[in-house]
Amino acid sequence: QKEVEQNSGPLSVPEGAIASLNCTYSDRGSQSFFWYRQYSGKSPELIMSIYSNGDKEDGRFTAQLNKASQYVSLLIRDSQPSDSATYLCAVGGFKTIFGAGTRLFVKA
Amino acid sequence: ETGVTQTPRHLVMGMTNKKSLKCEQHLGHNAMYWYKQSAKKPLELMFVYSLEERVENNSVPSRFSPECPNSSHLFLHLHTLQPEDSALYLCASSQDPGGNLGYGYTFGSGTRLTVV
């Protein structure tokens, strides 16, 4: 059974701080990895994808991948109250597997 | 209409009813999915259609029946559901059925289903 594990949180950070969200996965053969953001009452939206070891930056977001450790993370710099949401880690392949998500609160 | 459209947004049905959820994608994607999202649980993959062929049925009870008449439309037919089937049902589409090219999914807004 392929699994994706995330700390459910909530993770609370002050406005302007760096929020760090982490994820581990069980299938060592996984090739692609995704972060989705889900606001309360809304559907998930894709914010980042990564498939090479190292860092990938997109604006205030940085995804980090370490395949040897089977670890994916998402850093949000200069966190804003509008970043408050649940962040879902997903491991791709023909059947994308999702983690249960980490709730992030950014305090103004 | 753009993106992925799901109807209805909310549905309340009795255990003896028959209803259908509809999903339409306007993105030219060639794979469509049904996921179930229950509180505090990961999204559960239900069905995968690639190029209109069902290629995955993830041990879903037969009271859920998918239909994909073409690459833009996906239905989920419901009958004799149980209260534990109450959840958010999400449709998604992708241009990358293999899931390894990094494109990810585009989700619809979901149907909030309550079985009474």
Side-chain angles (χ1 to χ4, degrees), chain B residues 53-98:
Chain B
E53 289 190 31
R54 189 193 312 180
V55 293
E56 178 66 26
N57 177 346
N58 204 31
S59 302
V60 177
S62 60
R63 56 187 184 268
F64 296 91
S65 175
E67 178 188 1
C68 186
N70 55 60
S71 60
S72 299
H73 293 85
L74 185 65
F75 296 89
L76 187 63
H77 304 300
L78 316 171
H79 65 97
T80 59
L81 294 190
Q82 304 299 310
E84 60 264 29
D85 297 321
S86 299
L88 179 67
Y89 289 84
L90 291 163
C91 173
S93 70
S94 171
Q95 60 183 311
D96 171 26

Short mmCIF file of all heavy atoms in Angstrom, two decimals, chain B residues 53-98:
data_model
loop_
_atom_site.label_atom_id
_atom_site.label_comp_id
_atom_site.label_asym_id
_atom_site.label_seq_id
_atom_site.Cartn_x
_atom_site.Cartn_y
_atom_site.Cartn_z
N GLU B 53 -11.43 5.26 -21.64
CA GLU B 53 -11.48 3.89 -21.15
C GLU B 53 -11.21 3.87 -19.65
O GLU B 53 -10.27 4.53 -19.18
CB GLU B 53 -10.43 3.02 -21.85
CG GLU B 53 -10.75 2.71 -23.29
CD GLU B 53 -9.82 1.65 -23.85
OE1 GLU B 53 -9.37 0.78 -23.09
OE2 GLU B 53 -9.54 1.72 -25.05
N ARG B 54 -12.04 3.09 -18.92
CA ARG B 54 -11.80 2.98 -17.49
C ARG B 54 -10.56 2.12 -17.28
O ARG B 54 -10.50 0.97 -17.72
CB ARG B 54 -12.98 2.34 -16.78
CG ARG B 54 -12.83 2.42 -15.27
CD ARG B 54 -13.80 1.53 -14.52
NE ARG B 54 -15.16 1.64 -14.95
CZ ARG B 54 -16.16 0.93 -14.41
NH1 ARG B 54 -15.90 0.10 -13.42
NH2 ARG B 54 -17.38 1.05 -14.86
N VAL B 55 -9.59 2.66 -16.63
CA VAL B 55 -8.35 1.93 -16.43
C VAL B 55 -8.08 1.67 -14.96
O VAL B 55 -7.09 1.06 -14.59
CB VAL B 55 -7.16 2.67 -17.05
CG1 VAL B 55 -7.28 2.68 -18.56
CG2 VAL B 55 -7.06 4.09 -16.54
N GLU B 56 -8.98 2.14 -14.09
CA GLU B 56 -8.79 1.86 -12.68
C GLU B 56 -10.13 1.89 -11.97
O GLU B 56 -10.92 2.82 -12.15
CB GLU B 56 -7.86 2.91 -12.04
CG GLU B 56 -7.64 2.72 -10.56
CD GLU B 56 -6.88 1.45 -10.20
OE1 GLU B 56 -6.13 0.97 -11.05
OE2 GLU B 56 -7.04 0.96 -9.08
N ASN B 57 -10.38 0.86 -11.21
CA ASN B 57 -11.54 0.84 -10.34
C ASN B 57 -11.00 0.45 -8.98
O ASN B 57 -10.67 -0.71 -8.75
CB ASN B 57 -12.56 -0.19 -10.83
CG ASN B 57 -13.76 -0.29 -9.90
OD1 ASN B 57 -13.74 0.18 -8.78
ND2 ASN B 57 -14.81 -0.92 -10.38
N ASN B 58 -10.85 1.42 -8.11
CA ASN B 58 -10.08 1.22 -6.90
C ASN B 58 -10.91 0.58 -5.80
O ASN B 58 -11.09 1.16 -4.74
CB ASN B 58 -9.49 2.57 -6.46
CG ASN B 58 -8.26 2.42 -5.61
OD1 ASN B 58 -7.50 1.48 -5.77
ND2 ASN B 58 -8.05 3.36 -4.71
N SER B 59 -11.43 -0.62 -6.07
CA SER B 59 -12.20 -1.37 -5.06
C SER B 59 -13.37 -0.55 -4.53
O SER B 59 -13.62 -0.50 -3.32
CB SER B 59 -11.29 -1.79 -3.90
OG SER B 59 -10.23 -2.58 -4.36
N VAL B 60 -14.06 0.09 -5.43
CA VAL B 60 -15.20 0.92 -5.05
C VAL B 60 -16.46 0.05 -5.07
O VAL B 60 -16.65 -0.75 -5.99
CB VAL B 60 -15.34 2.09 -6.04
CG1 VAL B 60 -16.55 2.94 -5.71
CG2 VAL B 60 -14.07 2.95 -6.01
N PRO B 61 -17.34 0.22 -4.06
CA PRO B 61 -18.59 -0.56 -4.05
C PRO B 61 -19.41 -0.33 -5.31
O PRO B 61 -19.38 0.76 -5.91
CB PRO B 61 -19.32 -0.02 -2.82
CG PRO B 61 -18.26 0.55 -1.95
CD PRO B 61 -17.20 1.07 -2.87
N SER B 62 -20.15 -1.35 -5.69
CA SER B 62 -20.92 -1.30 -6.94
C SER B 62 -22.05 -0.29 -6.90
O SER B 62 -22.64 0.00 -7.96
CB SER B 62 -21.47 -2.69 -7.26
OG SER B 62 -22.33 -3.12 -6.22
N ARG B 63 -22.36 0.26 -5.75
CA ARG B 63 -23.40 1.29 -5.70
C ARG B 63 -22.91 2.61 -6.33
O ARG B 63 -23.70 3.53 -6.53
CB ARG B 63 -23.86 1.53 -4.26
CG ARG B 63 -22.77 1.90 -3.29
CD ARG B 63 -23.35 1.95 -1.86
NE ARG B 63 -22.38 2.38 -0.86
CZ ARG B 63 -21.63 1.54 -0.18
NH1 ARG B 63 -21.72 0.23 -0.38
NH2 ARG B 63 -20.77 2.01 0.73
N PHE B 64 -21.62 2.67 -6.65
CA PHE B 64 -21.05 3.78 -7.42
C PHE B 64 -20.73 3.25 -8.82
O PHE B 64 -19.97 2.29 -8.96
CB PHE B 64 -19.77 4.31 -6.80
CG PHE B 64 -19.96 4.92 -5.44
CD1 PHE B 64 -19.83 4.15 -4.29
CD2 PHE B 64 -20.26 6.27 -5.32
CE1 PHE B 64 -20.01 4.71 -3.04
CE2 PHE B 64 -20.43 6.84 -4.07
CZ PHE B 64 -20.31 6.06 -2.92
N SER B 65 -21.24 3.91 -9.84
CA SER B 65 -21.05 3.45 -11.20
C SER B 65 -20.62 4.61 -12.09
O SER B 65 -21.38 5.55 -12.29
CB SER B 65 -22.36 2.84 -11.74
OG SER B 65 -22.22 2.49 -13.09
N PRO B 66 -19.39 4.58 -12.62
CA PRO B 66 -18.93 5.68 -13.45
C PRO B 66 -19.32 5.49 -14.91
O PRO B 66 -19.59 4.38 -15.36
CB PRO B 66 -17.42 5.62 -13.30
CG PRO B 66 -17.14 4.15 -13.16
CD PRO B 66 -18.32 3.57 -12.41
N GLU B 67 -19.33 6.62 -15.62
CA GLU B 67 -19.59 6.59 -17.06
C GLU B 67 -18.79 7.71 -17.70
O GLU B 67 -18.80 8.83 -17.20
CB GLU B 67 -21.07 6.77 -17.36
CG GLU B 67 -21.40 6.79 -18.84
CD GLU B 67 -22.85 7.18 -19.11
OE1 GLU B 67 -23.60 7.44 -18.14
OE2 GLU B 67 -23.23 7.25 -20.28
N CYS B 68 -18.12 7.41 -18.80
CA CYS B 68 -17.33 8.42 -19.50
C CYS B 68 -17.67 8.34 -20.98
O CYS B 68 -17.02 7.62 -21.74
CB CYS B 68 -15.83 8.20 -19.27
SG CYS B 68 -14.77 9.48 -19.95
N PRO B 69 -18.68 9.08 -21.43
CA PRO B 69 -19.13 8.98 -22.82
C PRO B 69 -18.16 9.58 -23.82
O PRO B 69 -18.17 9.18 -25.00
CB PRO B 69 -20.46 9.74 -22.81
CG PRO B 69 -20.35 10.69 -21.66
CD PRO B 69 -19.52 10.00 -20.64
N ASN B 70 -17.34 10.53 -23.40
CA ASN B 70 -16.33 11.11 -24.27
C ASN B 70 -15.25 11.73 -23.39
O ASN B 70 -15.38 11.76 -22.17
CB ASN B 70 -16.94 12.14 -25.23
CG ASN B 70 -17.71 13.22 -24.50
OD1 ASN B 70 -17.15 13.94 -23.68
ND2 ASN B 70 -19.01 13.32 -24.78
N SER B 71 -14.23 12.26 -24.00
CA SER B 71 -13.08 12.72 -23.22
C SER B 71 -13.35 13.96 -22.40
O SER B 71 -12.54 14.34 -21.56
CB SER B 71 -11.89 12.98 -24.15
OG SER B 71 -12.22 13.98 -25.10
N SER B 72 -14.51 14.61 -22.62
CA SER B 72 -14.81 15.84 -21.89
C SER B 72 -15.81 15.65 -20.77
O SER B 72 -15.98 16.55 -19.95
CB SER B 72 -15.37 16.90 -22.85
OG SER B 72 -14.44 17.23 -23.83
N HIS B 73 -16.50 14.53 -20.74
CA HIS B 73 -17.58 14.33 -19.78
C HIS B 73 -17.36 13.08 -18.94
O HIS B 73 -16.94 12.04 -19.45
CB HIS B 73 -18.93 14.24 -20.50
CG HIS B 73 -19.34 15.52 -21.17
ND1 HIS B 73 -18.92 15.84 -22.44
CD2 HIS B 73 -20.11 16.54 -20.73
CE1 HIS B 73 -19.42 17.02 -22.76
NE2 HIS B 73 -20.15 17.47 -21.74
N LEU B 74 -17.72 13.20 -17.68
CA LEU B 74 -17.61 12.08 -16.75
C LEU B 74 -18.80 12.14 -15.81
O LEU B 74 -19.17 13.21 -15.34
CB LEU B 74 -16.30 12.19 -15.95
CG LEU B 74 -15.93 11.05 -15.01
CD1 LEU B 74 -15.68 9.76 -15.79
CD2 LEU B 74 -14.70 11.43 -14.19
N PHE B 75 -19.40 10.99 -15.57
CA PHE B 75 -20.54 10.90 -14.67
C PHE B 75 -20.23 9.90 -13.56
O PHE B 75 -19.43 8.98 -13.73
CB PHE B 75 -21.80 10.44 -15.41
CG PHE B 75 -22.27 11.39 -16.46
CD1 PHE B 75 -21.81 11.30 -17.76
CD2 PHE B 75 -23.20 12.39 -16.16
CE1 PHE B 75 -22.23 12.18 -18.74
CE2 PHE B 75 -23.64 13.27 -17.13
CZ PHE B 75 -23.16 13.17 -18.43
N LEU B 76 -20.88 10.11 -12.43
CA LEU B 76 -20.85 9.13 -11.35
C LEU B 76 -22.29 8.86 -10.95
O LEU B 76 -22.97 9.74 -10.41
CB LEU B 76 -20.03 9.63 -10.16
CG LEU B 76 -19.78 8.62 -9.04
CD1 LEU B 76 -18.96 7.44 -9.56
CD2 LEU B 76 -19.07 9.28 -7.86
N HIS B 77 -22.77 7.67 -11.29
CA HIS B 77 -24.14 7.28 -10.98
C HIS B 77 -24.19 6.65 -9.60
O HIS B 77 -23.35 5.78 -9.27
CB HIS B 77 -24.67 6.31 -12.05
CG HIS B 77 -24.59 6.84 -13.44
ND1 HIS B 77 -25.24 8.00 -13.84
CD2 HIS B 77 -23.92 6.39 -14.53
CE1 HIS B 77 -24.99 8.23 -15.11
NE2 HIS B 77 -24.18 7.28 -15.55
N LEU B 78 -25.16 7.09 -8.81
CA LEU B 78 -25.26 6.69 -7.41
C LEU B 78 -26.59 5.98 -7.17
O LEU B 78 -27.64 6.46 -7.63
CB LEU B 78 -25.19 7.92 -6.50
CG LEU B 78 -24.13 8.98 -6.84
CD1 LEU B 78 -24.35 10.23 -5.98
CD2 LEU B 78 -22.75 8.40 -6.65
N HIS B 79 -26.54 4.86 -6.45
CA HIS B 79 -27.80 4.21 -6.09
C HIS B 79 -27.64 3.42 -4.80
O HIS B 79 -26.58 2.84 -4.55
CB HIS B 79 -28.30 3.31 -7.23
CG HIS B 79 -27.40 2.15 -7.53
ND1 HIS B 79 -27.62 0.88 -7.02
CD2 HIS B 79 -26.29 2.06 -8.28
CE1 HIS B 79 -26.68 0.07 -7.47
NE2 HIS B 79 -25.86 0.75 -8.23
N THR B 80 -28.68 3.42 -4.01
CA THR B 80 -28.72 2.75 -2.71
C THR B 80 -27.47 3.03 -1.89
O THR B 80 -26.79 2.11 -1.39
CB THR B 80 -28.94 1.22 -2.85
OG1 THR B 80 -27.88 0.66 -3.64
CG2 THR B 80 -30.27 0.96 -3.48
N LEU B 81 -27.18 4.32 -1.74
CA LEU B 81 -26.00 4.71 -0.96
C LEU B 81 -26.25 4.54 0.53
O LEU B 81 -27.40 4.41 0.99
CB LEU B 81 -25.61 6.14 -1.27
CG LEU B 81 -25.12 6.42 -2.69
CD1 LEU B 81 -24.54 7.83 -2.77
CD2 LEU B 81 -24.10 5.40 -3.16
N GLN B 82 -25.16 4.59 1.28
CA GLN B 82 -25.20 4.49 2.73
C GLN B 82 -24.80 5.82 3.35
O GLN B 82 -24.10 6.62 2.70
CB GLN B 82 -24.23 3.39 3.19
CG GLN B 82 -24.48 2.03 2.57
CD GLN B 82 -25.86 1.51 2.92
OE1 GLN B 82 -26.24 1.51 4.09
NE2 GLN B 82 -26.61 1.09 1.91
N PRO B 83 -25.21 6.09 4.58
CA PRO B 83 -24.81 7.36 5.21
C PRO B 83 -23.30 7.59 5.21
O PRO B 83 -22.85 8.74 5.08
CB PRO B 83 -25.37 7.22 6.63
CG PRO B 83 -26.55 6.34 6.47
CD PRO B 83 -26.15 5.33 5.41
N GLU B 84 -22.49 6.53 5.31
CA GLU B 84 -21.03 6.70 5.32
C GLU B 84 -20.48 7.13 3.96
O GLU B 84 -19.29 7.46 3.86
CB GLU B 84 -20.33 5.42 5.78
CG GLU B 84 -20.59 4.20 4.92
CD GLU B 84 -21.71 3.33 5.45
OE1 GLU B 84 -22.64 3.87 6.11
OE2 GLU B 84 -21.66 2.11 5.19
N ASP B 85 -21.34 7.15 2.95
CA ASP B 85 -20.92 7.66 1.63
C ASP B 85 -21.00 9.18 1.56
O ASP B 85 -20.58 9.76 0.55
CB ASP B 85 -21.78 7.05 0.53
CG ASP B 85 -21.62 5.54 0.43
OD1 ASP B 85 -20.48 5.04 0.60
OD2 ASP B 85 -22.64 4.85 0.21
N SER B 86 -21.52 9.80 2.58
CA SER B 86 -21.57 11.26 2.61
C SER B 86 -20.16 11.82 2.61
O SER B 86 -19.33 11.44 3.45
CB SER B 86 -22.31 11.75 3.86
OG SER B 86 -23.65 11.28 3.87
N ALA B 87 -19.86 12.68 1.66
CA ALA B 87 -18.50 13.20 1.49
C ALA B 87 -18.51 14.25 0.39
O ALA B 87 -19.55 14.53 -0.21
CB ALA B 87 -17.53 12.07 1.11
N LEU B 88 -17.34 14.79 0.12
CA LEU B 88 -17.14 15.68 -1.03
C LEU B 88 -16.60 14.82 -2.18
O LEU B 88 -15.59 14.13 -2.00
CB LEU B 88 -16.16 16.79 -0.69
CG LEU B 88 -15.82 17.79 -1.80
CD1 LEU B 88 -17.05 18.63 -2.15
CD2 LEU B 88 -14.67 18.69 -1.40
N TYR B 89 -17.28 14.83 -3.30
CA TYR B 89 -16.84 14.07 -4.46
C TYR B 89 -16.23 15.02 -5.47
O TYR B 89 -16.88 15.95 -5.95
CB TYR B 89 -18.00 13.26 -5.05
CG TYR B 89 -18.37 12.12 -4.14
CD1 TYR B 89 -19.22 12.32 -3.06
CD2 TYR B 89 -17.80 10.86 -4.31
CE1 TYR B 89 -19.50 11.28 -2.17
CE2 TYR B 89 -18.09 9.82 -3.44
CZ TYR B 89 -18.93 10.05 -2.37
OH TYR B 89 -19.20 9.02 -1.49
N LEU B 90 -14.98 14.76 -5.77
CA LEU B 90 -14.20 15.65 -6.63
C LEU B 90 -13.90 14.97 -7.95
O LEU B 90 -13.44 13.83 -8.00
CB LEU B 90 -12.89 16.03 -5.95
CG LEU B 90 -13.00 16.95 -4.74
CD1 LEU B 90 -11.72 16.91 -3.92
CD2 LEU B 90 -13.31 18.37 -5.18
N CYS B 91 -14.12 15.72 -9.01
CA CYS B 91 -13.70 15.30 -10.34
C CYS B 91 -12.40 16.04 -10.67
O CYS B 91 -12.21 17.19 -10.25
CB CYS B 91 -14.79 15.65 -11.35
SG CYS B 91 -14.36 15.38 -13.07
N ALA B 92 -11.51 15.38 -11.38
CA ALA B 92 -10.27 16.03 -11.79
C ALA B 92 -9.93 15.59 -13.21
O ALA B 92 -10.38 14.54 -13.67
CB ALA B 92 -9.13 15.67 -10.84
N SER B 93 -9.16 16.42 -13.88
CA SER B 93 -8.67 16.04 -15.20
C SER B 93 -7.17 16.30 -15.27
O SER B 93 -6.62 17.09 -14.49
CB SER B 93 -9.40 16.80 -16.31
OG SER B 93 -9.04 18.16 -16.32
N SER B 94 -6.52 15.63 -16.22
CA SER B 94 -5.08 15.78 -16.38
C SER B 94 -4.71 15.55 -17.84
O SER B 94 -5.35 14.76 -18.54
CB SER B 94 -4.34 14.77 -15.48
OG SER B 94 -2.97 14.77 -15.77
N GLN B 95 -3.68 16.24 -18.29
CA GLN B 95 -3.16 15.98 -19.63
C GLN B 95 -2.05 14.94 -19.59
O GLN B 95 -1.41 14.68 -20.61
CB GLN B 95 -2.64 17.28 -20.25
CG GLN B 95 -1.52 17.95 -19.49
CD GLN B 95 -1.11 19.25 -20.14
OE1 GLN B 95 -0.89 19.31 -21.34
NE2 GLN B 95 -1.00 20.31 -19.35
N ASP B 96 -1.88 14.35 -18.44
CA ASP B 96 -0.76 13.43 -18.22
C ASP B 96 -1.27 12.18 -17.51
O ASP B 96 -1.10 12.05 -16.31
CB ASP B 96 0.29 14.16 -17.39
CG ASP B 96 1.40 13.24 -16.92
OD1 ASP B 96 1.66 12.21 -17.59
OD2 ASP B 96 2.01 13.55 -15.87
N PRO B 97 -1.92 11.25 -18.24
CA PRO B 97 -2.50 10.09 -17.58
C PRO B 97 -1.48 9.26 -16.81
O PRO B 97 -1.80 8.64 -15.81
CB PRO B 97 -3.10 9.28 -18.74
CG PRO B 97 -3.30 10.26 -19.82
CD PRO B 97 -2.19 11.27 -19.68
N GLY B 98 -0.24 9.25 -17.27
CA GLY B 98 0.77 8.47 -16.58
C GLY B 98 1.21 9.09 -15.28
O GLY B 98 1.79 8.42 -14.43
#
